[in-house]
């Protein structure tokens, strides 16, 4: 269907609203005026063509024509019809030859005539044949009664009397009621049917194309083209209008996480705890502890490789940190105090117990300093406002104390039963894993089915206990072989509260014992804000975030239910809607948002429960709570908060990626912003095929690296870690000195071939594919592509026009076309 001068009215005037009828009529009037102007220009072209025909007539016969082929002209300089020539010759035998010569001469000039009039050679010759046939009296002219049937036969359409009178009046110059062949041609070109056909042919010829706006007004535009254009404009406009909403959603989420997480403070807090455990919990001192000051501890937590090392580290390193008793003083004062401490007192301070008869046999001091020890002076005056109870790391109060627990691995039949009592004479245990250093998600938490086994129960060391009491309990566990071959995992949990920042911290220290005899160590402090809403801005930002998610939800739900399922039916509506990748991504991001809401609500409830429970404790009670059940509940609540915090952090860490997909969808509505995504979509097929090649090569080198370096180099222990290490190697991040430990020749061959094939060749080929497609996409975009600012201005202009009632919305224009 074509919308134009011969078709139905313009779409904007179909069922217009009453208040917009005048605007519609003005547009129609403007279009009619423009059409008349262009028709006048076409008439001038036809007038020039008429003059050209006159010149051709007066110029005489072509040089290659014989005397028999010369066509005589009448006194009015009009060509005589061939039948008149034949009549004058008396119907002689050479009349057919004259007719053939005349037709040959016309065929030679027909090309110029057709080009001038904008018709075809076939039209010229057909008009000539019909003219000769209609000229019954061979006068070389057609009378009015002969003209009309001939024009209708030539046009294959009935010519209204009104149009015929207009044509006759225009081209019958002498008003005698007769037209010669030249005038007949001009009449034919001005019949309504031929005029429209003539304009269409000129418009669709590349060398004779009218301007697009003129072509749309004169010839018309296909309804499907208008519908496609309007649909495209609506899609682009909706995508651009979605960009501010997505931006507000992302900013609200970002500020919400900044206000709730406070990563700078939390990271500083956790760094202090972890550094204290790594650097200050030492053992293997150079002095004779406890009779001398230890001076320097040569080992730390990462040097714990046996059960004896664990108890040494726990006794000499950890207890001194987590159960402070007094204000710390300088090293000379500590050394002097150690010399003036009796051996019995030193041993009692480490948890040893003695009979009274033995105590009387021991001297007073390790060294005989005499009265010098009496003049050491008192301890420094500490600030009582901050030191009513000894704090941990100056600012943290100890809550409940310390929980020590372990997982015990059950027994099983030995793998090599035929070698039992020959190469091995003990029992065998299940494999707990832990062959390589565990990750955080594997480390946090304990398997309940393996806890509190006989001789491996969980023990609690209460806050405000003296170091001697803690060490006494630890020595009892060591004496009972609390750690043994059945131990698979040891957990130490220590909780604190920082009133200055209103932060609760659960400090986890893990020891993993694999069946090879190695002990992996892992430290993880988990700090949380006790009150997640510390300012009114937290409520404001969260409200904006929730409202934006709900807005997107209702918009997508309306699009799904109203525009698809209601109109197309449930099944076809769902298929049509979710057949679009954009809609699928939008719903995934919305569902992800609801998951975030649910997890955050659970986190807030847990923090509220923790806060309420902490309010029931007392700093005057050892262990904060007198009831052991309350202390157990406290540590269990700390576990729940820690696991919930870790899971929530993992969930929100990937949420920005889901929101980022909405950015890509919004960018698709702006040609210049969509350049990158269009490039990726256009290159997707090539990238997928190239990915098969480079993926196979990566897998090849991954397996090779795991076999070659897996036993010697960290990062190649299993397939997953090796794959990540190889991928890092694609970017040049690979330690050649480390992999060369397996042998420089083998490592050199692997490294050189890997860098040449993958890093230098294939990565650059991938870039070449993308750059080539990018150049094509950018070239197709053109320099005149709409910019983001111009599109924004256009959308604003449409919106303002709708507000001022000077425009019709694109949706209203599209409705009659569907």
């Amino acid at each position: 269907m074509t919308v134009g001068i011969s078709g139905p009215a313009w779409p904007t005037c179909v069922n217009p609203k009453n208040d917009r009828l005048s605007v519609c009529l003005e547009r129609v009037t403007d279009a009619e005026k423009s059409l008349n102007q262009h028709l006048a220009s076409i008439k001038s072209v036809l007038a020039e063509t008429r003059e050209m025909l006159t010149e051709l007539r007066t110029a005489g016969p072509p040089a290659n024509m014989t005397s028999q082929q010369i066509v005589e002209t009448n006194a009015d300089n009009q060509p005589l019809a061939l039948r008149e020539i034949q009549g004058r010759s008396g119907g002689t035998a050479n009349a057919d030859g004259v007719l053939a010569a005349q037709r040959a001469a016309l065929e030679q000039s027909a090309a110029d005539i057709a080009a001038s009039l904008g018709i075809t050679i076939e039209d010229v010759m057909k008009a000539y044949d019909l003219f000769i046939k209609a000229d019954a009296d061979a006068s070389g002219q057609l009378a009015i009664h002969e003209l009309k049937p001939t024009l209708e036969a030539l046009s294959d359409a009935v010519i209204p009397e009104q149009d015929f009178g207009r044509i006759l009046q225009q081209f019958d110059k002498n008003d005698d009621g007769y037209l010669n062949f030249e005038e007949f041609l001009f009449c034919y070109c001005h019949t309504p049917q031929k005029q429209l056909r003539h304009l269409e042919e000129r418009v669709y010829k590349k060398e004779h194309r009218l301007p697009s706006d003129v072509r749309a007004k004169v010839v018309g535009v296909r309804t499907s083209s208008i519908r496609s254009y309007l649909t495209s404009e609506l899609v682009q406009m909706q995508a651009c209008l979605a960009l501010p909403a997505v931006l507000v959603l992302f900013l609200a989420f970002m500020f919400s996480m900044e206000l709730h997480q406070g990563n700078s403070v939390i990271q500083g807090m956790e760094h202090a705890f972890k550094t204290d455990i790594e650097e200050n919990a030492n053992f293997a001192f150079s002095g004779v502890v406890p009779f001398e000051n230890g001076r320097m501890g040569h080992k730390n937590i990462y040097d714990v490789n046996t059960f004896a090392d664990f108890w040494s580290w726990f006794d000499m390193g950890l207890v001194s940190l987590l159960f402070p008793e007094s204000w710390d003083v300088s090293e000379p004062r500590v050394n002097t105090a150690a010399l003036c401490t009796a051996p019995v007192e030193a041993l009692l301070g480490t948890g040893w117990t003695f009979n009274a008869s033995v105590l009387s046999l021991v001297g007073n001091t390790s060294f005989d300093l005499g009265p010098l020890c009496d003049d050491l002076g008192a301890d420094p005056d500490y600030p009582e406002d901050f030191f009513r109870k000894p704090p941990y790391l100056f600012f943290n109060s100890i809550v409940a104390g310390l929980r020590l627990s372990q997982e015990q691995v059950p027994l099983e039949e030995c793998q090599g039963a035929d070698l039992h009592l020959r190469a091995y004479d003990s029992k065998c245990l299940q494999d707990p894993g832990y062959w390589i250093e565990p990750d955080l998600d594997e480390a946090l938490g304990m398997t309940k089915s393996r806890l509190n086994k006989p001789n491996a129960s969980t023990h609690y060391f209460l806050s405000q206990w003296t170091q001697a009491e803690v060490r006494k309990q630890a020595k009892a566990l060591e004496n009972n072989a609390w750690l043994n071959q059945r131990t698979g995992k040891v957990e130490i949990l220590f909780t604190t509260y920082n009133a200055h920042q209103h932060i609760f911290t659960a400090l986890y220290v893990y020891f993993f014992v694999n069946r090879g005899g190695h002990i992996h160590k892992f430290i993880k402090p988990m700090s949380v804000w006790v009150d997640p809403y510390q300012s009114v801005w937290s409520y404001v930002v969260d409200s904006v975030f929730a409202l934006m998610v709900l807005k997107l939800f209702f918009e997508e739900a309306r699009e799904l239910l109203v525009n698809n399922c209601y109109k197309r039916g449930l099944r076809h509506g769902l298929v049509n809607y979710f057949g679009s990748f954009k809609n699928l991504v939008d719903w995934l991001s919305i569902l992800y948002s609801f998951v975030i809401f649910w997890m955050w609500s659970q986190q807030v409830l847990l923090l509220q429960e923790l806060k309420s429970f902490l309010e029931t404790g007392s700093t005057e009670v050892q262990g904060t709570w007198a009831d052991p059940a309350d202390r157990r509940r406290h540590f269990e609540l700390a576990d729940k908060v820690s696991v919930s915090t870790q899971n929530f952090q993992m969930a929100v860490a990937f949420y920005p990626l889901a929101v980022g997909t909405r950015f890509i969808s919004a960018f698709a509505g702006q040609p210049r912003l969509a350049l990158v995504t269009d490039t990726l979509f256009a290159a997707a097929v090539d990238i997928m095929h190239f990915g098969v090649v480079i993926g196979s090569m990566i897998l090849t080198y991954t397996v090779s690296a795991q076999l070659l370096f897996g036993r010697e180099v960290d990062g190649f222990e299993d397939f997953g870690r090796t794959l990540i290490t190889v991928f890092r190697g694609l970017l040049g991040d690979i330690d050649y000195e480390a992999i060369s430990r397996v042998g420089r020749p083998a490592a050199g061959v692997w490294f050189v071939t890997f860098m040449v094939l993958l890093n230098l060749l294939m990565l650059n080929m991938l870039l070449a594919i993308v750059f080539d497609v990018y150049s094509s996409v950018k070239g197709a975009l053109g320099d005149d592509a709409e910019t983001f600012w111009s599109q924004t201005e256009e959308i604003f202009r449409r919106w303002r026009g709708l507000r001022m009632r000077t425009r019709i919305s694109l949706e209203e224009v599209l409705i009659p076309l569907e």
Side-chain angles (χ1 to χ4, degrees):
M1 177 179 177
T2 302
V3 180
I5 59 175
S6 62
W10 282 274
T12 54
C13 294
V14 177
N15 297 326
K17 294 185 178 179
N18 293 332
D19 57 345
R20 301 175 185 174
L21 180 58
S22 59
V23 178
C24 240
L25 294 177
E26 288 177 3
R27 293 180 180 174
V28 173
T29 303
D30 294 340
E32 184 178 4
K33 290 179 181 179
S34 178
L35 175 60
N36 291 332
Q37 292 174 0
H38 288 285
L39 288 177
S41 64
I42 293 171
K43 291 177 181 178
S44 64
V45 173
L46 295 177
E48 294 175 0
T49 305
R50 182 187 304 168
E51 295 177 0
M52 183 182 297
L53 288 174
T54 303
E55 293 175 0
L56 291 173
R57 185 172 62 242
T58 58
N64 59 350
M65 291 182 61
T66 65
S67 58
Q68 295 180 352
Q69 295 173 325
I70 298 175
V71 180
E72 299 179 359
T73 58
N74 58 8
D76 295 330
N77 204 23
Q78 297 176 350
L80 297 176
L82 294 182
R83 291 193 179 184
E84 182 182 357
I85 299 175
Q86 295 172 1
R88 292 179 181 179
S89 62
T92 57
N94 63 349
D96 293 337
V98 174
L99 182 61
Q102 178 67 19
R103 184 176 182 83
L106 183 61
E107 288 178 351
Q108 292 181 359
S109 302
D112 295 332
I113 296 173
S116 299
L117 296 178
I119 59 179
T120 64
I121 298 176
E122 290 77 8
D123 288 337
V124 175
M125 300 310 299
K126 181 179 179 182
Y128 172 77
D129 293 336
L130 289 175
F131 184 87
I132 296 298
K133 181 178 180 181
D135 187 14
D137 56 358
S139 63
Q141 295 179 329
L142 294 182
I144 295 177
H145 68 277
E146 297 174 332
L147 176 62
K148 189 173 184 297
T150 306
L151 289 177
E152 290 178 346
L154 186 59
S155 303
D156 294 329
V158 178
I159 301 175
E161 290 294 338
Q162 182 179 359
D163 293 335
F164 177 71
R166 177 181 56 80
I167 295 172
L168 186 62
Q169 182 180 4
Q170 183 176 0
F171 295 102
D172 186 11
K173 301 299 183 182
N174 51 12
D175 295 329
D176 59 354
Y178 291 93
L179 281 77
N180 57 28
F181 181 64
E182 176 192 4
E183 294 171 336
F184 176 73
L185 277 179
F186 279 95
C187 288
Y188 166 62
C189 289
H190 280 74
T191 58
Q193 291 76 17
K194 185 57 183 176
Q195 191 177 44
L196 179 59
R197 195 180 312 154
H198 163 74
L199 290 175
E200 290 178 346
E201 290 173 353
R202 289 185 64 87
V203 166
Y204 289 108
K205 285 183 179 179
K206 294 183 179 179
E207 65 273 15
H208 297 295
R209 291 188 66 86
L210 295 173
S212 58
D213 56 338
V214 177
R215 185 168 69 253
K217 293 178 180 179
V218 175
V219 180
V221 181
R222 293 185 181 276
T223 304
S224 59
S225 300
I226 298 177
R227 185 166 54 242
S228 176
Y229 168 76
L230 292 176
T231 303
S232 175
E233 284 291 304
L234 285 173
V235 170
Q236 292 184 12
M237 184 173 65
Q238 291 170 0
C240 287
L241 291 177
L243 184 58
V246 176
L247 184 60
V248 172
L249 173 68
F250 180 80
L251 292 177
F253 171 78
M254 181 183 70
F255 287 119
S256 176
M257 291 299 100
E258 182 64 26
L259 290 172
H260 291 306
Q261 297 291 323
N263 285 336
S264 58
V265 177
I266 294 296
Q267 197 272 346
M269 182 76 68
E270 294 182 351
H271 177 73
F273 280 59
K274 187 174 182 180
T275 301
D276 189 49
I277 299 298
E278 291 177 336
E279 301 294 335
N280 298 328
N282 301 324
F283 66 104
F285 287 89
S286 56
V288 182
V289 180
F291 305 108
E292 297 178 0
N293 181 30
R295 298 178 185 273
M296 179 64 187
H298 295 278
K299 294 184 178 181
N300 60 23
I301 183 174
Y302 298 110
D303 296 307
V304 174
N305 296 312
T306 64
F307 298 145
D309 288 342
F310 173 85
W311 292 118
S312 298
W313 170 82
F314 185 89
D315 189 345
M316 303 178 69
L318 189 65
V319 172
S320 300
L321 296 180
L322 303 186
F323 295 89
E325 293 182 334
S326 62
W327 188 266
D328 292 334
V329 296
S330 61
E331 186 175 355
R333 299 185 64 160
V334 174
N335 293 338
T336 305
L339 295 178
C340 293
T341 300
V344 173
E345 293 180 1
L347 290 174
L348 291 175
T350 60
W352 292 94
T353 56
F354 304 95
N355 294 327
S357 58
V358 177
L359 294 177
S360 61
L361 301 177
V362 182
N364 292 329
T365 62
S366 299
F367 295 88
D368 188 10
L369 298 181
L372 295 178
C373 293
D374 298 332
D375 296 333
L376 289 179
D379 291 336
D381 294 332
Y382 50 81
E384 294 185 1
D385 292 340
F386 306 101
F387 202 80
R388 295 181 181 180
K389 296 291 188 297
Y392 173 66
L393 290 179
F394 307 116
F395 304 103
N396 304 282
S397 60
I398 304 166
V399 181
L402 180 148
R403 185 185 70 186
L404 179 64
S405 58
Q406 68 162 300
E407 294 179 358
Q408 277 215 337
V409 182
L411 299 173
E412 70 172 6
E413 294 294 331
C414 295
Q415 297 287 340
D418 53 337
L419 296 179
H420 192 245
L421 299 178
R422 291 177 173 81
Y424 182 73
D425 61 354
S426 301
K427 295 182 178 180
C428 294
L429 301 165
Q430 289 183 2
D431 183 8
Y434 313 134
W435 292 104
I436 58 180
E437 184 177 359
D439 297 322
L440 176 60
D441 56 346
E442 184 181 1
L444 197 61
M446 300 286 281
T447 304
K448 292 185 178 181
S449 61
R450 295 182 177 182
L451 294 176
N452 296 313
K453 298 299 181 181
N455 199 32
S457 60
T458 300
H459 291 268
Y460 298 89
F461 302 84
L462 307 186
S463 59
Q464 300 185 35
W465 272 9
T466 63
Q467 293 183 11
E469 180 64 22
V470 174
R471 291 187 174 107
K472 179 180 179 181
Q473 296 292 333
K475 282 182 172 55
L477 294 177
E478 183 181 6
N479 293 337
N480 293 329
W482 188 81
L483 291 178
N484 52 63
Q485 285 84 346
R486 294 190 62 176
T487 301
K489 179 180 180 180
V490 177
E491 179 191 74
I492 297 174
L493 173 59
F494 181 74
T495 59
T496 66
Y497 172 69
N498 188 303
H500 306 270
Q501 297 296 328
H502 203 33
I503 292 177
F504 176 83
T505 300
L507 175 63
Y508 291 89
V509 182
Y510 290 100
F511 297 85
F512 304 88
V513 184
N514 63 31
R515 298 305 91 177
H518 181 70
I519 301 177
H520 293 288
K521 283 71 66 174
F522 197 96
I523 305 172
K524 178 54 184 176
M526 295 294 296
S527 299
V528 295
W529 302 92
V530 177
D531 187 359
Y533 289 92
Q534 303 182 59
S535 69
V536 66
W537 289 109
S538 299
Y539 292 99
V540 172
V541 173
D542 281 7
S543 299
V544 173
F545 177 58
L547 289 175
M548 293 307 301
V549 172
L550 291 176
K551 173 181 178 295
L552 296 175
F553 170 75
F554 286 117
E555 287 178 350
E556 294 296 333
R558 180 179 180 276
E559 178 71 18
L560 171 61
L561 299 177
V562 177
N563 296 339
N564 285 272
C565 293
Y566 178 76
K567 292 182 178 180
R568 304 172 184 268
L570 179 61
R571 181 173 176 272
H572 291 88
L574 292 175
V575 172
N576 179 73
Y577 181 81
F578 287 107
S580 171
F581 179 74
K582 169 187 173 298
N583 294 331
L584 185 62
V585 169
D586 289 345
W587 272 107
L588 288 177
S589 65
I590 291 173
L591 294 177
Y592 200 163
S593 301
F594 287 138
V595 172
I596 296 296
F597 290 161
W598 181 82
M599 295 183 69
W600 176 243
S601 65
Q602 298 300 309
Q603 176 79 353
V604 171
L605 291 176
L606 280 175
L607 292 175
Q608 184 61 39
E609 183 180 358
L610 175 64
K611 180 182 179 181
S612 300
F613 191 74
L614 289 175
E615 292 173 351
T616 63
S618 174
T619 57
E620 303 299 327
V621 177
Q622 286 187 342
T624 307
W625 292 273
D627 189 350
D630 289 337
R631 290 193 293 269
R632 288 194 296 270
R633 182 187 172 191
H634 164 75
F635 284 110
E636 291 173 357
L637 190 56
D639 288 335
K640 292 181 179 179
V641 171
S642 298
V643 173
S644 175
T645 301
Q646 178 62 24
N647 293 337
F648 181 73
Q649 285 180 329
M650 294 298 294
V652 297
F654 291 96
Y655 183 74
L657 302 181
V659 178
T661 59
R662 300 190 70 95
F663 273 114
I664 295 175
S665 177
F667 291 158
Q670 213 295 311
R672 294 188 182 273
L673 293 180
L675 183 60
V676 175
T677 54
D678 289 346
T679 299
L680 295 179
F681 284 132
V685 175
D686 292 336
I687 292 177
M688 289 177 60
H689 286 84
F690 182 79
V692 174
V693 178
I694 193 173
S696 62
M697 296 301 297
I698 290 175
L699 291 177
T700 299
Y701 276 92
T702 298
V703 175
S704 174
Q706 184 182 358
L707 296 174
L708 190 58
F709 312 123
R711 295 190 176 190
E712 300 290 338
V713 185
D714 292 338
F716 296 91
E717 300 95 333
D718 59 9
F719 181 82
R721 299 190 182 194
T722 305
L723 182 62
I724 296 299
T725 304
V726 170
F727 188 80
R728 291 174 59 183
L730 286 174
L731 306 178
D733 183 15
I734 193 166
D735 188 357
Y736 176 73
E737 293 299 325
I739 64 175
S740 64
R741 290 203 300 264
V742 303
R744 291 190 178 273
V749 171
W750 187 92
F751 180 78
V752 170
T753 57
F754 174 79
M755 295 300 290
V756 170
L757 291 177
L758 289 176
N759 188 280
L760 297 179
L761 293 180
M762 291 198 172
L763 275 187
N764 286 288
M765 290 174 64
L766 178 61
L767 293 177
I769 292 173
V770 175
F771 287 159
D772 180 62
V773 176
Y774 177 83
S775 299
S776 301
V777 174
K778 185 172 178 59
L781 183 63
D783 297 333
D784 58 344
E786 194 171 23
T787 63
F788 177 74
W789 315 114
S790 63
Q791 191 170 24
T792 303
E793 180 184 1
E794 180 184 50
I795 294 174
F796 174 76
R797 190 168 60 251
R798 289 173 179 170
W799 173 82
R800 186 176 62 179
L802 291 175
R803 296 276 295 181
M804 298 177 66
R805 294 182 175 273
T806 59
R807 283 180 175 267
I808 302 175
S809 67
L810 298 182
E811 290 85 352
E812 291 183 60
V813 178
L814 185 60
I815 289 174
L817 302 178
E818 292 183 344

